[in-house]
């Protein structure tokens, strides 16, 4: 009997959470975020990721939200994800996913630098990353950068390295007008709670707990699945489960990097 109550409760929470997301997307009532007192729209945004599929697995709520608000979004991927020798395939898959996410392919850049190769235990130099990011900021007139936090959601060392590269940029750069925001990592329980996590995430943002400033509800959850499905080489059973049950499919919380 206890298990039945638990199952029914989980199902009700799941449905209520999906309804909340649907309601927000239809009502267009989300609070405008990432601004300095004004309405947030039409900014030049650079999403800095480590591997092809990071954008689809972790950042789709952010991408969908920014795109719908008229932002000019660029994606800078620091590697081809060549750990298994299929970097060229994964690079093309990222371009296909960007089409689904409505990011122009010409604004997606994938690097294949010899010192920035995919793999656990392969540390990336923060000075090199900072230099590359700075060049992209200048070339594309970027005024806002979004990337992983210091844990990197999954704990992958390359995710963490990208974060350190952005931090290095902020320490050294003269571009004080550039803002940088990080995607907040959550506990494993919250990470796999699916849309149910939106309630705790919104509460956390409301009271600025853990430095969280803003949350993006995913206005198009199915687009996350469609984008990840473009990464056919990675679209195996356990990633299908991850995307379906991951809270990062439904909501992103970000905080400013100081």
């Amino acid at each position: 009997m206890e298990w039945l109550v638990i199952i029914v409760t989980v199902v009700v929470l799941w449905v209520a959470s999906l309804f909340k997301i649907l309601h927000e997307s239809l009502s267009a009532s989300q609070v405008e975020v990432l601004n300095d007192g004004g309405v947030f729209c039409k900014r030049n945004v650079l999403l800095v990721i480590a591997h092809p599929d990071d954008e689809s697995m972790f950042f789709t709520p952010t991408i969908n939200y920014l795109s719908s608000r008229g932002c000019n979004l660029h994606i800078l991927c620091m590697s081809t994800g060549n750990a298994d020798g299929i970097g060229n395939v994964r690079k093309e898959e990222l371009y296909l996913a960007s089409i689904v996410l409505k990011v122009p392919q010409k604004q997606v850049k994938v690097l294949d630098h010899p010192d920035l190769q995919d793999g656990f235990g392969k540390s990336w130099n923060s000075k090199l990353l900072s230099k590359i990011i700075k060049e992209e900021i200048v070339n594309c007139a970027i005024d806002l950068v979004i990337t992983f936090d210091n844990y990197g959601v999954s704990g992958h060392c390359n995710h963490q390295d990208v974060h350190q590269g952005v931090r290095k940029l902020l320490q050294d750069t003269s571009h004080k007008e550039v803002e940088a925001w990080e995607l907040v990592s959550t506990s494993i329980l919250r990470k796999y709670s699916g849309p149910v996590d939106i309630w705790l995430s919104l509460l956390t943002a409301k009271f600025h707990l853990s430095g969280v400033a803003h949350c993006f509800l995913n206005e198009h959850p199915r687009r996350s699945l469609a984008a990840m499905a473009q990464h056919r080489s990675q679209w195996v059973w356990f990633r299908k489960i991850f995307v379906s049950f991951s809270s990062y499919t439904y909501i992103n919380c970000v905080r400013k990097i100081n």
Side-chain angles (χ1 to χ4, degrees):
M1 184 63 181
E2 291 83 359
W3 281 108
L4 180 60
V5 172
I6 293 174
I7 293 173
V8 171
T9 301
V10 170
V11 171
V12 170
L13 280 173
W14 193 282
V15 173
S17 302
L18 289 176
F19 179 79
K20 170 70 172 176
I21 294 172
L22 179 62
H23 171 72
E24 293 292 341
S25 65
L26 292 177
S27 65
S29 62
Q30 290 196 54
V31 177
E32 303 291 0
V33 297
L34 296 182
N35 64 79
D36 297 315
V39 176
F40 171 64
C41 66
K42 299 181 180 179
R43 299 187 67 173
N44 289 329
V45 181
L46 179 65
L47 174 63
V48 183
I49 58 177
H51 317 109
D53 79 10
D54 287 346
E55 81 299 331
S56 299
M57 290 185 70
F58 307 116
F59 289 95
T60 50
T62 298
I63 294 172
N64 289 338
Y65 185 91
L66 296 179
S67 297
S68 68
R69 269 62 182 180
C71 290
N72 186 31
L73 187 62
H74 297 253
I75 297 177
L76 175 60
C77 185
M78 289 298 184
S79 78
T80 61
N82 196 42
D84 296 322
I86 54 172
N88 289 334
V89 172
R90 297 193 64 187
K91 178 178 179 180
E92 294 303 317
E93 290 172 345
L94 175 52
Y95 291 140
L96 293 175
S98 72
I99 294 174
V100 175
L101 295 171
K102 301 187 183 302
V103 179
Q105 184 172 323
K106 64 180 180 180
Q107 294 177 194
V108 179
K109 186 173 184 178
V110 186
L111 303 182
D112 189 15
H113 195 286
D115 295 326
L116 300 175
Q117 292 300 305
D118 175 25
F120 283 101
K122 293 186 177 180
S123 180
W124 294 351
N125 184 276
S126 60
K127 290 184 179 179
L128 174 60
L129 293 168
S130 174
K131 178 183 177 182
I132 293 171
I133 297 167
K134 183 177 180 179
E135 290 175 354
E136 198 70 9
I137 287 173
V138 173
N139 293 337
C140 302
I142 299 297
D143 56 25
L144 191 150
V145 176
I146 297 177
T147 191
F148 292 102
D149 67 3
N150 60 356
Y151 182 71
V153 181
S154 65
H156 196 295
C157 59
N158 297 157
H159 296 180
Q160 297 170 356
D161 291 337
V162 167
H163 170 83
Q164 294 303 323
V166 172
R167 277 202 173 274
K168 180 66 175 174
L169 170 73
L170 294 177
Q171 293 170 1
D172 299 343
T173 187
S174 60
H175 299 281
K176 301 301 182 183
E177 68 279 7
V178 177
E179 297 177 14
W181 294 74
E182 60 186 10
L183 178 63
V184 177
S185 299
T186 62
S187 66
I188 191 168
L189 182 62
R190 288 182 59 188
K191 185 190 299 186
Y192 293 106
S193 63
V196 176
D197 184 61
I198 69 171
W199 306 104
L200 185 55
S201 293
L202 292 173
L203 185 66
T204 300
K206 181 177 180 179
F207 294 101
H208 296 277
L209 302 176
S210 302
V212 172
H214 303 292
C215 289
F216 301 126
L217 287 177
N218 193 348
E219 299 174 339
H220 306 284
R222 290 184 180 179
R223 192 178 293 170
S224 300
L225 293 168
M228 190 60 205
Q230 303 307 308
H231 295 276
R232 295 184 65 181
S233 67
Q234 308 301 302
W235 198 223
V236 293
W237 67 270
F238 58 87
R239 287 199 177 91
K240 293 178 182 179
I241 293 175
F242 176 87
V243 175
S244 299
F245 287 88
S246 170
S247 60
Y248 291 92
T249 298
Y250 305 96
I251 192 166
N252 282 167
C253 288
V254 297
R255 63 188 165 214
K256 193 171 184 179
I257 303 176
N258 297 314

